Each structure stands twice: as C-alpha cells, then as structure tokens.
C-alpha cells in the first residue's frame, strides 16, 4: 500500500476494522470482503472516493489450522472459500465491467506458496487459494482482449501479524497431532536466510501493476526466498 502511494497512486484500502496500519495518504473504508454486501460497499466507496479503479489488489486472506482435514468444520471450509477465493470473484465482478469499458486495468490476486505443498491442517486454505489461482488465470485470458492484466502473487512465509499467529497455531496443532517440526515446515527458514517482509511482497505487486510488466498476464509470481524451488 505504501509503495503504491509512493508511486503516485491514489489508494483506498479496507479491513473489517480501522487499524494504525493504514498509511497516511490512503483512504480507508471498513468492509467484510467475505460477503456480497461487503464487496458492494467497497466497490461503491471506490467509485465515490477514487472515481473508479485502475489497479485492484486482493490481499485479505488467511485461515487457522486444524488437526487434520477431517477436523475442519463445514462452516470453516465455507469461510475459507469466501475469504480466500470468492471475495476476489465478487469484487472483480463489480469492478471489472468499468475496466472493460475503459479497456485498461491491472488486477493482482494474493495467493500463497503453500498451494505447492498442501497439508491436512490447511486444506481449506490451500484449496481456496488453488481455486483463486485457477480463477485468476482464466480471468486473465478472458480480459486480455480488453487490455486488462490479471496476475497472482504467491508469498512464502512472511512476517506479518497474521502469518506469525498462524505459524504459532500450526506449531500448537502439530504438537497435539504428534508431528515433528520437520514434517510441519513451521520452523523452517527459507533458503535466502530470512522470512519475507511485507515490502518483499509489495515490491512484486508493484511490479505486476507497473508499465514494466505490460506484457505479463495470467501469471503467478511466487515470492518465497527460495522455499519452493519447484514452484
Ligand atoms: N504472512 C504469510 O506468511 C503469508 C504467506 C502466504 C500467503 N499470505 C497471504 O497474504 C495475504 C495477506 O496476509 P497477511 O499475512 O498480511 O495477513 P494478516 O496479517 O492477517 O492481515 C490481513 C489483513 O486483511 C484484513 N482482513 C482479514 N479478513 C478480512 C475480511 N473478511 N474483510 C476485509 N478485510 C479483512 C485484516 O484486517 P481485519 O482483521 O481488521 O479485517 C488485515 O488488515 C493473505 O491473502 C494471505 O493468505 C500470507
């Protein structure tokens, strides 16, 4: 967000509650993107505050781990799909028509490198992100004739409040399941010797929405410090 502001973009951001992480200069509207009503409120605010959307970054996401796939309740599956996949579908459906009319736009869906190694405790999450990646590729092909680029970014382990909390929960769940840390991957440091920082992911997003990526669409850029070399 900060990097988009520094690059001269007008930015509107959202979360369910306003936090100190909204940088100076960005507008904020509270919305729950898991719901159609939340997506509509956000789209309306974007029209009112920005007068339209040229760049759309879907970043909200995450899920807590469970002790194996059978322990994931139905409503948690639905919630994971709503947050990590359908939220993007809903918001895109509201904002893409104006992009098509203008015949320009850039959309980035934030997925996860965890899609490459799906494990039981996170199957609701990685399944939803895998669907997001497939949807993102298909949308890219659909919108390419209109000059709209659609790409995904798949972060590896990144030092954010949500990421840290999830890894702690994973360690707890793994201990309860009797899994060794090596089997959980929760303790590993990526080959580049450090966890990712939010700026590492923001750089990739900024690149994908910049003129330098003008011939890129339908791609999934894995930003993981080398954690998933076969990705
Ligand atoms: N951190 C990692 O290691 C990692 C790794 C791979 C992929 N990712 C992906 O990267 C993205 C960002 O993750 P993060 O680690 O930065 O997460 P985070 O620290 O939990 O932050 C998530 C942000 O999204 C907002 N949000 C959550 N649910 C929302 C909802 N229903 N409606 C609107 N806003 C909502 C949160 O604010 P509120 O709670 O106030 O709504 C918060 O501002 C996610 O898509 C995640 O899956 C992260």
């Amino acid at each position: 967000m900060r990097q988009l502001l520094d690059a001269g973009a007008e930015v509107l951001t959202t979360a369910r509650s306003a936090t100190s992480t909204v940088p100076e200069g960005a507008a904020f509207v509270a919305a729950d993107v898991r719901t159609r009503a939340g997506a509509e409120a956000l789209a309306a605010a974007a029209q009112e505050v920005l007068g339209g959307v040229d760049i759309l970054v879907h970043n909200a996401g995450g899920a807590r781990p469970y002790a194996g796939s059978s322990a994931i309740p139905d409503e948690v599956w639905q919630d994971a799909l709503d947050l990590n996949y359908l939220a993007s579908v809903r918001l895109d459906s509201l904002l893409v028509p104006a992009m098509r009319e203008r015949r320009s736009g850039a959309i980035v869906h934030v997925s996860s490198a965890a899609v490459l190694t799906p494990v039981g405790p996170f199957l609701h999450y990685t399944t939803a992100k895998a669907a997001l990646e497939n949807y993102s590729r298909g949308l890219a092909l659909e919108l390419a004739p209109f000059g709209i680029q659609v790409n995904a970014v798949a972060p590896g382990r990144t030092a954010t409040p949500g990421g840290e909390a999830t890894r702690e929960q994973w360690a707890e769940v793994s201990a309860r399941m009797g899994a060794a840390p090596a089997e959980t991957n929760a303790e590993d440091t990526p080959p580049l010797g450090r966890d990712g920082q939010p700026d590492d992911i923001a750089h990739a997003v900024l690149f994908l929405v910049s003129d330098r990526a003008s011939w890129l669409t339908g791609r999934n850029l894995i930003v993981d410090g080398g954690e998933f070399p076969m990705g």
Side-chain angles (χ1 to χ4, degrees):
M1 209 185 325
R2 162 58 51 207
Q3 296 190 12
L4 283 167
L5 284 167
D6 290 347
E10 278 181 74
V11 173
L12 170 71
T13 183
T14 192
R16 287 163 299 178
S17 55
T19 68
S20 57
T21 57
V22 178
E24 204 183 324
F28 173 85
V29 60
D32 184 342
V33 298
R34 289 172 301 185
T35 65
R36 181 83 196 174
E40 285 172 354
L42 185 51
Q47 188 56 43
E48 192 184 320
V49 175
L50 306 173
V53 174
D54 304 310
I55 296 169
L56 178 55
V57 181
H58 297 274
N59 182 57
R64 62 170 305 139
Y66 284 78
S69 60
S70 311
I72 303 170
D74 273 5
E75 60 273 22
V76 172
W77 273 98
Q78 187 59 58
D79 194 56
L81 289 166
D82 281 330
L83 178 59
N84 295 287
Y85 166 41
L86 294 171
S88 294
V89 176
R90 293 185 183 118
L91 192 55
D92 287 341
S93 74
L94 292 167
L95 296 177
V96 157
M99 289 184 177
R100 281 166 66 132
E101 267 178 38
R102 281 199 319 275
R103 301 190 77 84
S104 72
I107 300 174
V108 175
H109 299 112
V110 178
S111 181
S112 172
V115 168
L116 295 164
T117 54
V119 291
F122 285 104
L123 278 192
H124 52 322
Y125 173 69
T126 52
T127 301
K129 292 290 198 187
L132 177 68
E133 290 181 10
N134 189 271
Y135 158 76
S136 190
R137 273 196 298 279
L139 190 69
L141 292 178
E142 182 190 350
L143 299 183
F146 299 93
I148 302 167
Q149 292 163 267
V150 184
N151 289 289
V153 168
R157 50 182 298 151
T158 308
T160 64
E164 300 299 334
T166 303
R167 280 182 285 279
E168 275 172 31
Q169 291 159 1
W170 192 7
E172 284 166 23
V173 166
S174 301
R176 267 190 276 132
M177 293 170 72
E183 291 169 50
T184 67
N185 204 23
E187 311 285 333
D188 293 353
T189 299
L192 277 179
R194 63 173 177 83
D195 287 354
Q197 294 299 316
D199 268 355
D200 294 314
I201 311 307
H203 281 130
V205 172
L206 191 62
F207 166 67
L208 287 172
V209 303
S210 75
D211 290 345
R212 292 185 177 192
S214 61
W215 210 45
L216 267 176
T217 200
R219 295 298 160 197
N220 180 30
L221 186 51
I222 298 166
V223 185
D224 67 345
E227 189 179 352
F228 297 95
M230 303 306 284

